[in-house]
Amino acid sequence: MLKLTVTYDIHTDVVPWILKSGLTPAECDDGSGRAVDVKAQTVNIESDGTIIYTWKGCRGNTCIGAYDPHTRKNKLLYSFDEEAQVVSCSVNMKWTLLAVSILQSRRNGDMPFRTAPRCLTLLIEIHPIHDIRVLKAVDCIVSVQFLYPVGKATLFPESHLLLISEDRYIDQIHISVVIQEGYRVLIKNTRLPTDRIIEDVTWAQWDMKEQRLYCAVTKGRKSVLNCFQFYPDRNFELVLEVPLQFSLDNDEPRLVNFGFNPYQSDVGASSTLNFSVLSSEIGSMFLCYSHLPPTDNEVSYTIAFVLQGVSKTFTVSVEETEILTEKVIFINLGYYIAVYLPGHFLHLINTRHPKLLCHHLLLSGADASMPSLNTNGYLQSLPYSSILDYSSGKMFEVCINQLYLVKFLQTSTLDCHWLAALHCALIYFKDQTETEAQVVSWICDNIGKCSRFDVIQEFIWASLYRRMCPESINLDKLLPYTSLMKWEGEVPGVTCVTEIAEQSVFRALHLKGFWAELHSNLQSFMYLDAEPCCRYYNNSKLLRKQWKQLIEEMKTEERTSSSLRTILQNAEKVLLTLDKWVSDQRIVPLFQEEKDYQQNILMGVMVENMKDHLMRHLQHMGKKKTEELVINYVAKLLELIRNIMETVWRKYNVKNWKFCFKERGSSSEYAVFHIMCHILQATSGMCVPLPPGFQTLHATLGVRCLPLHTLLCYIDHGILRLTETFIKKLLIDFNNSEKNGQLKLSIITRLPEAASQNICHLWDHPISSSLIARNYVEALLQKLGSKQMYPHNSPSYETDSSVFYSDFLPLNYLTKTLTDVKNLAMNPFEEKEYIDAKFVEEIALKQTSILLQLES
């Protein structure tokens, strides 16, 4: 599942240069330029990516070199006169100073330096090679690490060096240098100023990218994690204290990311706990640990989410083996933390939404295999999705394999795997065009198979989340990312226990950068956790109620209220934004210019409710910015549904489709219609609007694909909605055969009264004509019934010779009124046609005669 890309290989990037430079014994070169037995060993990696390595020189002595990954060039930094056991090594940013810790053998014959202490820590001037200073001469191992300035220009000529001792203390040494003769860099001060950073350290981790130091100290029965930040000058400060839920009281401090000691046979053997700290650029921190060794064929590990204030302990069942000697590896992948136990499982932990177990993906067997890694060696998990394998001398960039993930989604059979893989595919990858198309294709093939969740709803929420929340973690608690409130059932192979973690304490007064983001996010999460309903989709019932009320208001009220005008203006802003994103290459015939007032009202209500919701919780954002965010959110929602339709249209190869009713639909059109029904069902459950023209296209496909009885059932149950564009095209395209007349009549009788009056005149049929006449007469009678009748001798009562006259006075009054309408008023219909008054008179006379039983 994970894709490993080699970014550094000591055998191809370093060894050929060593051979070419003649810096290796003759027996290691067979004359072909290939390395026969060059024992080069990677020992450290610096903040800027510089990799430090050692090898046996041509005189059997130990050499130290550096590889620059940006220029892909190597340089010899220093060579000892004899063989030396280098246990720690670091070079400063300018490659002018080298710090080295070496072990000395107790046997006199093997002593390269005739001193009693077991470990020597040296500071060497290497630009050019000049003086060597002894920083430490002790019996415990001392690790070294130069600081690299972050965020500002290098404050040369001063360097800062960390010394981490097995005696449980960490010092910082300040080294000032002078430049002589324009190029010679020499150490200036005789005595090097030293600051004691911390004592009684039981565990320490170095974050090379951000220049942070994490140290654990024991307080009582538990340990506390101290977080130090180093700045470009000599200043450092304790920023954060995080209480730990376990004790790290080891005989020797466990060091993480301080390089590799090739002379320590079992790194961390004295520790019973595998612990590491991971962080993200957006201001979040995670504490990952697992106890060693695992027992009872189960592996347990814990991820403490500092932002959420919870820790989750996962227990994974593994196959029976003799001894599980491998340790769990934690890899930071950004949105996910990969927990890898070589040969057994790979668990992708969703860091942004850890609440539901179904959003984490557990893999085993071939799906979890990473054959490129040497699992028997020492692996260092680096910041920003990288692994350095010191044993093989390779560094890998780690990411989730996009093709493999989509294949896993297509071949899985469990709902929990579908859901986790779906979210991973839609959220993790940056370029989503191809991935979304593949996921939509999978949805089409498996529609209705997911019994525990609506796959279209999950697709929409996850895709919208990726579009809106990649950089703002504050929106995680406010905007929806899933339709599920809880997960019913278990996830095979893994169980999870959630505990409340103790609150972290900030010690620094002035926070900036990552720490300011972390503090802001912590405050936001604490506030939002106290809110009962902070996520937007919890208000969908209220939104649906408001929507229905506004639709009724628009039908009954003659004048539009101010609130309804605001709602319609919101919808207009969304549609104007949507217009900018329409591609000329679209193939789905959506009628975007169509005015669907019901959907427009829903758009406006959604904008208004979401804007109020965000303003209530994110007041610092401001009204204008919040409105822009919400309008973009709704517009992207409509665009996403349109993109789903584009993918479906291409999948089923619907080409040269024309908006007409004369032809029956093909099997491809029926498949598209079926998918559109599920989209309609999903959006109805979410109470979100559909893009303009969706309802018309859906109804058109329904007429082409469904028999009449089924079609009418779909209409009666609200699956198909009759739009004005659809009705007009239906009345015009179909002739007046008996079958088509039955269809038209069935459609017209299901229209609201107001809509039928505006559309019936397009149907040239006796039924339509009768309906027009009756509706028109009814409207006139209702209008005139509230007015005072004209006096019998009024001039307006004078009749024209063309008007039928009888002794039945009501009929005379009706015919005279219709004549006046013909002469004075235009027809209210859209097409600006006059009413045939003579025809209406005859129909009215006929109807009146029948009602009065004047005809035999």
Side-chain angles (χ1 to χ4, degrees):
M1 181 63 73
L2 294 185
K3 179 181 179 181
L4 303 181
T5 303
V6 178
T7 57
Y8 162 77
D9 186 349
I10 196 171
H11 300 290
T12 57
D13 295 321
V14 174
V15 171
W17 171 80
I18 295 175
L19 293 173
K20 184 178 179 181
S21 303
L23 298 173
T24 187
E27 64 268 17
C28 295
D29 191 350
D30 63 356
S32 63
R34 296 182 295 105
V36 178
D37 188 22
V38 177
K39 296 181 179 180
Q41 175 65 59
T42 302
V43 293
N44 200 4
I45 179 171
E46 302 289 359
S47 175
D48 61 354
T50 298
I51 297 175
I52 302 175
Y53 51 87
T54 63
W55 76 95
K56 186 177 181 181
C58 56
R59 300 189 306 273
N61 59 327
T62 298
C63 301
I64 301 176
Y67 171 76
D68 186 345
H70 306 290
T71 61
R72 304 186 70 83
K73 293 183 178 179
N74 293 273
K75 181 181 179 180
L76 174 65
L77 298 180
Y78 186 77
S79 61
F80 292 95
D81 294 333
E82 300 178 10
E83 184 178 359
Q85 298 180 2
V86 177
V87 296
S88 182
C89 187
S90 183
V91 66
N92 68 344
M93 178 177 283
K94 294 295 184 179
W95 290 16
T96 58
L97 298 175
L98 180 68
V100 185
S101 286
I102 59 175
L103 290 180
Q104 299 189 102
S105 173
R106 296 294 184 183
R107 294 173 299 175
N108 294 334
D110 295 335
M111 291 178 60
F113 298 93
R114 298 185 177 277
T115 54
R118 178 188 175 210
C119 178
L120 283 181
T121 301
L122 309 176
L123 180 62
I124 308 173
E125 298 169 350
I126 59 173
H127 191 76
I129 297 175
H130 183 258
D131 190 20
I132 299 178
R133 293 197 181 191
V134 177
L135 299 179
K136 294 285 183 180
V138 291
D139 286 334
C140 61
I141 295 178
V142 177
S143 299
V144 294
Q145 179 62 59
F146 271 105
L147 302 182
Y148 279 55
V150 174
K152 295 183 180 180
T154 305
L155 297 179
F156 189 79
E158 187 174 47
S159 296
H160 309 280
L161 176 67
L162 294 181
L163 300 182
I164 305 94
S165 172
E166 284 184 343
D167 284 342
R168 296 192 177 191
Y169 67 84
I170 299 177
D171 287 344
Q172 181 183 17
I173 298 178
H174 308 286
I175 309 165
S176 296
V177 298
V178 293
I179 302 176
Q180 297 180 356
E181 301 176 9
Y183 73 98
R184 297 173 62 88
V185 179
L186 305 177
I187 298 175
K188 179 180 179 180
N189 40 353
T190 304
R191 295 191 61 181
L192 302 178
T194 303
D195 296 331
R196 178 62 53 92
I197 297 176
I198 192 172
E199 295 180 339
D200 299 325
V201 177
T202 59
W203 174 93
Q205 176 180 318
W206 176 243
D207 186 337
M208 65 191 71
K209 287 291 185 182
E210 302 299 334
Q211 301 292 280
R212 302 186 196 122
L213 177 64
Y214 304 107
C215 301
V217 294
T218 302
K219 291 186 178 181
R221 294 184 178 181
K222 291 187 178 181
S223 297
V224 176
L225 180 70
N226 293 332
C227 306
F228 294 90
Q229 178 68 60
F230 292 87
Y231 299 106
D233 54 14
R234 65 171 61 192
N235 295 326
F236 68 91
E237 64 178 339
L238 173 61
V239 182
L240 180 68
E241 289 185 353
V242 183
L244 301 178
Q245 298 174 312
F246 51 87
S247 176
L248 280 168
D249 191 9
N250 305 319
D251 295 335
E252 298 176 356
R254 169 73 186 275
L255 303 183
V256 179
N257 294 355
F258 282 99
F260 173 60
N261 179 3
Y263 299 98
Q264 188 169 349
S265 58
D266 189 3
V267 179
S270 60
S271 175
T272 60
L273 192 74
N274 176 26
F275 178 47
S276 62
V277 179
L278 305 180
S279 61
S280 68
E281 295 177 329
I282 60 174
S284 58
M285 181 183 291
F286 315 97
L287 312 181
C288 311
Y289 53 94
S290 64
H291 288 274
L292 296 176
T295 58
D296 298 329
N297 298 324
E298 289 184 344
V299 177
S300 295
Y301 46 91
T302 300
I303 311 291
F305 301 86
V306 176
L307 277 186
Q308 289 85 349
V310 299
S311 64
K312 290 183 173 291
T313 300
F314 301 90
T315 302
V316 179
S317 301
V318 296
E319 296 180 359
E320 293 186 5
T321 55
E322 295 181 359
I323 299 178
L324 287 172
T325 57
E326 300 87 353
K327 70 174 183 177
V328 173
I329 304 170
F330 300 100
I331 307 172
N332 190 354
L333 300 179
Y335 278 104
Y336 288 86
I337 292 176
V339 183
Y340 178 55
L341 182 61
H344 296 280
F345 68 84
L346 173 68
H347 199 183
L348 298 178
I349 307 295
N350 190 325
T351 61
R352 298 289 282 268
H353 304 108
K355 181 179 179 181
L356 299 182
L357 188 58
C358 56
H359 287 133
H360 312 304
L361 183 59
L362 178 66
L363 304 168
S364 59
D367 295 327
S369 176
M370 285 190 281
S372 301
L373 289 181
N374 179 15
T375 57
N376 294 323
Y378 177 60
L379 301 176
Q380 178 178 341
S381 179
L382 303 175
Y384 310 131
S385 309
S386 296
I387 291 180
L388 181 56
D389 185 350
Y390 284 101
S391 301
S392 65
K394 294 181 180 180
M395 186 166 66
F396 303 91
E397 183 181 86
V398 186
C399 64
I400 298 176
N401 191 321
Q402 186 173 358
L403 296 178
Y404 201 103
L405 180 64
V406 174
K407 182 180 178 181
F408 177 81
L409 178 67
Q410 295 170 346
T411 56
S412 297
T413 57
L414 298 177
D415 284 3
C416 57
H417 287 169
W418 280 340
L419 183 63
L422 176 69
H423 276 263
C424 184
L426 295 175
I427 292 176
Y428 177 79
F429 301 105
K430 293 182 179 180
D431 184 11
Q432 284 292 324
T433 305
E434 183 179 354
T435 304
E436 284 188 352
Q438 293 173 331
V439 172
V440 171
S441 177
W442 170 81
I443 290 174
C444 294
D445 296 334
N446 296 272
I447 198 76
K449 293 183 179 180
C450 300
S451 59
R452 296 184 179 179
F453 64 95
D454 189 311
V455 65
I456 296 179
Q457 288 186 5
E458 290 298 314
F459 177 87
I460 293 175
W461 286 137
S463 298
L464 278 176
Y465 171 83
R466 182 190 59 83
R467 285 165 166 80
M468 299 301 299
C469 306
E471 304 299 334
S472 178
I473 200 169
N474 288 331
L475 294 176
D476 279 0
K477 284 275 188 177
L478 299 175
L479 296 181
Y481 69 95
T482 180
S483 60
L484 300 176
M485 301 301 296
K486 59 181 180 178
W487 179 257
E488 300 291 345
E490 299 179 350
V491 175
V494 60
T495 59
C496 179
V497 177
T498 304
E499 297 178 342
I500 303 298
E502 295 185 47
Q503 188 174 353
S504 304
V505 180
F506 280 89
R507 295 301 185 187
L509 297 178
H510 304 288
L511 301 173
K512 53 186 177 181
F514 167 82
W515 301 109
E517 287 288 334
L518 178 62
H519 182 265
S520 175
N521 293 336
L522 274 171
Q523 296 300 317
S524 298
F525 270 67
M526 290 173 61
Y527 162 74
L528 294 174
D529 283 338
E531 291 290 317
C533 297
C534 62
R535 200 170 295 282
Y536 170 73
Y537 60 69
N538 288 336
N539 298 324
S540 59
K541 293 182 179 180
L542 177 62
L543 186 146
R544 192 184 303 274
K545 181 180 179 180
Q546 292 176 344
W547 179 36
K548 299 299 182 183
Q549 289 176 347
L550 289 171
I551 291 176
E552 291 300 321
E553 177 184 335
M554 193 168 186
K555 290 180 179 178
T556 57
E557 298 293 334
E558 295 183 1
R559 298 184 60 183
T560 305
S561 64
S562 59
S563 60
L564 183 56
R565 283 196 301 270
T566 303
I567 295 300
L568 294 176
Q569 289 172 1
N570 291 337
E572 192 66 26
K573 293 177 183 178
V574 172
L575 294 176
L576 288 176
T577 305
L578 185 63
D579 286 340
K580 300 176 184 178
W581 296 342
V582 174
S583 171
D584 295 334
Q585 304 299 323
R586 65 178 186 176
I587 61 174
V588 179
L590 290 177
F591 304 94
Q592 190 164 321
E593 66 283 354
E594 182 178 81
K595 298 293 183 182
D596 190 338
Y597 288 103
Q598 289 194 14
Q599 292 299 312
N600 287 359
I601 291 174
L602 182 55
M603 288 181 209
V605 172
M606 185 174 179
V607 169
E608 198 67 20
N609 282 16
M610 183 179 289
K611 184 168 60 177
D612 293 342
H613 181 79
L614 294 183
M615 282 296 296
R616 186 163 58 252
H617 298 293
L618 299 176
Q619 297 180 5
H620 64 277
M621 187 177 291
K623 183 176 180 181
K624 183 177 180 181
K625 187 175 180 180
T626 302
E627 183 176 359
E628 291 177 356
L629 185 148
V630 172
I631 289 174
N632 284 336
Y633 186 89
V634 180
K636 288 180 179 180
L637 166 66
L638 301 178
E639 178 71 10
L640 178 62
I641 298 175
R642 191 192 68 82
N643 290 343
I644 295 175
M645 289 301 304
E646 290 280 334
T647 304
V648 172
W649 218 260
R650 288 187 174 91
K651 175 179 175 60
Y652 292 104
N653 199 24
V654 182
K655 296 181 178 179
N656 303 322
W657 192 86
K658 294 181 180 180
F659 179 38
C660 66
F661 300 94
K662 296 181 180 180
E663 300 178 0
R664 296 300 299 170
S666 62
S667 58
S668 297
E669 291 181 30
Y670 181 80
V672 172
F673 173 77
H674 181 61
I675 299 298
M676 291 184 73
C677 289
H678 283 276
I679 294 175
L680 184 66
Q681 181 182 5
T683 54
S684 177
M686 300 161 65
C687 197
V688 297
L690 291 165
F694 183 94
Q695 304 273 21
T696 298
L697 179 61
H698 191 207
T700 303
L701 289 173
V703 172
R704 291 169 63 99
C705 298
L706 300 176
L708 178 59
H709 175 72
T710 306
L711 174 68
L712 298 179
C713 288
Y714 274 51
I715 295 174
D716 293 338
H717 286 83
I719 301 175
L720 295 178
R721 184 169 167 270
L722 305 176
T723 63
E724 188 173 342
T725 304
F726 166 78
I727 298 297
K728 287 181 178 180
K729 187 66 174 177
L730 179 74
L731 296 178
I732 293 173
D733 273 15
F734 277 139
N735 58 29
N736 290 326
S737 65
E738 181 179 355
K739 182 178 180 180
N740 292 340
Q742 183 182 4
L743 171 62
K744 292 181 179 181
L745 179 61
S746 301
I747 296 295
I748 290 177
T749 55
R750 284 166 168 79
L751 292 175
E753 183 177 355
S756 62
Q757 291 179 1
N758 292 333
I759 291 177
C760 286
H761 69 284
L762 298 175
W763 184 19
D764 185 14
H765 192 273
I767 296 178
S768 177
S769 301
S770 175
L771 184 61
I772 292 173
R774 281 185 293 176
N775 289 339
Y776 192 73
V777 170
E778 181 181 1
L780 287 176
L781 290 176
Q782 289 177 352
K783 180 179 180 181
L784 296 175
S786 60
K787 297 180 180 180
Q788 185 178 1
M789 290 187 176
Y790 295 123
H792 184 72
N793 56 357
S794 172
S796 63
Y797 193 71
E798 296 177 1
T799 58
D800 186 84
S801 57
S802 63
V803 179
F804 178 84
Y805 184 82
S806 73
D807 292 333
F808 185 61
L809 297 181
L811 182 58
N812 290 336
Y813 180 77
L814 174 62
T815 55
K816 177 63 178 67
T817 302
L818 294 178
T819 303
D820 292 342
V821 171
K822 173 185 177 183
N823 296 330
L824 301 177
M826 294 291 292
N827 179 6
F829 294 124
E830 291 181 355
E831 307 231 344
K832 306 298 182 183
E833 296 177 353
Y834 287 96
I835 290 292
D836 187 345
K838 188 69 176 176
F839 169 74
V840 175
E841 291 171 8
E842 294 176 359
I843 293 297
L845 177 61
K846 185 71 174 177
Q847 294 290 340
T848 304
S849 300
I850 293 174
L851 292 174
L852 297 178
Q853 298 181 351
L854 298 178
E855 290 190 354
S856 56

